[in-house]
Every structure is written in structure tokens, then in C-alpha cells.
Amino acid sequence: MKTVAVGDVHGCLWQLLDIIERPDFYGDELIFLGDLFDRSPISNGDSLVMTLVQAMQENPQEYGFDKVTVLRGNHEDALIRSLDEGPDSDIYDLWQYNGGDEQFYKLLQVTPTAVEWLKSLPTYVIRGDNMFVHAGVRPGVPLEEQDEQDLLWIRDEFHDADDHGLPYTVVHGHTPVSKVDVANKRINLDTGSFYTGKLSYGVFEDGTIRMGSSTEEAG
């Protein structure tokens, strides 16, 4: 069974459908690296993507997958905290500044099951020699001592390190790049889907890795 990791979706429904409908991925595990929503280029894209991904996780076989794993990203983190602290909070302002949609927020205020689902999402998973996480890791810190906020938000300290110090290749998103970035023991799959139209993925199987992306004209 292969593992297929998908970068930051950000409400890009058509690009996501282009990937998940590919028959060569059927029967595999699909891992979302977080940031399912915010900055969506289409109307209602945030709720459409979240509803689809939640349904895929609950019933993966119906969509052709063996398993669907969804990780929490910093946009999920900011939205959860915004819902807990309310629209007058600093975290709500930060979430909205980073592309949060007020109508999506109001929808979640009256959809407690969706909020509980978001809160249940893990921050990372290990599959073989690969660690899948949203933002990255704090270099030099053992896995069991990693701070959750670093896993969701870290950037420069992780990217600038020659070696993060963990015995895994860290597969992540969070920091947009023009093309999939493969560096020392890390792979960045965030290719800025919401403004490039390109949602990228990595396929991991028996120690081999191949990359791809949705068609840029999708939708």
C-alpha cells in the first residue's frame, strides 16, 4: 500500500478532486497535511472541502482509499482558538487576516460536530521512515518533547537548519514554494494552491518517492 500525502488545500475543491479521483491511488492511504481551508478561490470552497474531507475520513472505502488521515494545520489551530475565544479576540483577527471567511466561521458556530472533528485531528503521524506534519519540527528537540505550536507554525528555524535531528524525512506544508522542495531530510508539498492553482502531492512506497500536482487549469 502506498501513502499519498497532499499539501495545503486552502479550499481548492477542483484541484483536490483532480487528485483524489485518480484510480492509481485507489486502495492507498491518503494523508492531508493540514490547512484545508482559508483563502479559498471559490465561493463556499472552505465548507465544501471540509465536508468532503471529513466524509472521506469517515468512509474511506467509499472514495477508493484504504485509509484517510487528516492532520491539523495552523489554519485549523487558529480557527479552533477563534471559536473558543470569540470574534473579539486577537486570534480571531489573526485568523481573518490570514484568509478566514466570516460565513464559514458562523457556520461552524452552529455545527459543533464539525468543530469537535477539527479538535480531534492529530498534529503528526509516522509512516515508516517518514514523519508527516503540517509546518515542521524544532531542530535538535526529541520527538516526544516537540511543542505542538512548533509542529503547526514553525518556519525559519526548521527550514534554515542543516539537520533537524530526527530519524525521519519530515514531509510538510505550511510555507509556500514555487515547486515541491526536497531538501536534507525534509519535503515541502505546499505549492500555494490558492494562488497558483497547483495542489501538490507526494507518493511514498517501498522507500521510493514521486511527486505530482493537480492540473493548473482544474476548475
Side-chain angles (χ1 to χ4, degrees):
M1 183 176 71
K2 301 188 295 293
T3 299
V4 181
V6 178
D8 304 33
V9 179
H10 283 299
C12 294
L13 177 65
W14 308 123
Q15 288 86 342
L16 176 57
L17 290 173
D18 177 75
I19 291 174
I20 66 175
E21 292 175 353
R22 299 182 184 187
D24 55 320
F25 294 160
Y26 291 174
D28 300 324
E29 179 180 9
L30 187 66
I31 298 178
F32 289 94
L33 297 179
D35 285 8
L36 296 177
F37 45 73
D38 297 344
R39 302 178 176 142
S40 175
I42 64 172
S43 176
N44 208 31
D46 292 340
S47 61
L48 290 171
V49 165
M50 193 183 76
T51 299
L52 171 62
V53 172
Q54 187 176 9
M56 291 174 63
Q57 186 183 49
E58 292 175 352
N59 299 287
Q61 286 78 22
E62 290 186 10
Y63 295 86
F65 295 97
D66 180 74
K67 182 178 183 179
V68 174
T69 299
V70 186
L71 302 181
R72 193 186 326 165
N74 66 302
H75 283 257
E76 283 82 13
D77 179 60
L79 177 55
I80 290 167
R81 290 160 59 195
S82 297
L83 288 163
D84 285 343
E85 298 180 28
D88 295 327
S89 63
D90 290 342
I91 190 62
Y92 176 86
D93 291 340
L94 177 63
W95 171 74
Q96 195 170 51
Y97 174 78
N98 282 299
D101 176 53
E102 184 178 2
Q103 295 305 311
F104 184 48
Y105 183 88
K106 290 179 178 178
L107 173 65
L108 290 180
Q109 283 181 308
V110 295
T111 317
T113 54
V115 178
E116 289 305 310
W117 177 72
L118 289 173
K119 289 182 176 181
S120 75
L121 300 179
T123 53
Y124 74 91
V125 292
I126 304 294
R127 299 290 183 266
D129 295 330
N130 301 302
M131 174 182 179
F132 297 90
V133 65
H134 177 64
V137 297
R138 175 73 58 179
V141 176
L143 181 57
E144 62 274 12
E145 297 177 18
Q146 290 284 331
D147 186 278
E148 181 178 271
Q149 290 297 295
D150 282 337
L151 302 178
L152 299 172
W153 292 87
I154 199 168
R155 276 204 169 99
D156 292 344
E157 298 92 334
F158 172 58
H159 290 273
D160 292 344
D162 292 331
D163 187 344
H164 52 67
L166 295 181
Y168 306 105
T169 295
V170 176
V171 184
H172 66 96
H174 184 55
T175 301
V177 287
S178 58
K179 62 180 181 179
V180 172
D181 180 27
V182 180
N184 182 33
K185 293 174 62 178
R186 66 173 181 82
I187 298 172
N188 184 354
L189 294 178
D190 181 7
T191 48
S193 58
F194 63 93
Y195 66 90
T196 64
K198 184 171 62 175
L199 178 61
S200 292
Y201 62 84
V203 181
F204 302 82
E205 182 180 25
D206 298 330
T208 65
I209 304 170
R210 63 182 175 90
M211 311 299 173
S213 65
S214 63
T215 55
E216 292 191 39
E217 65 272 14

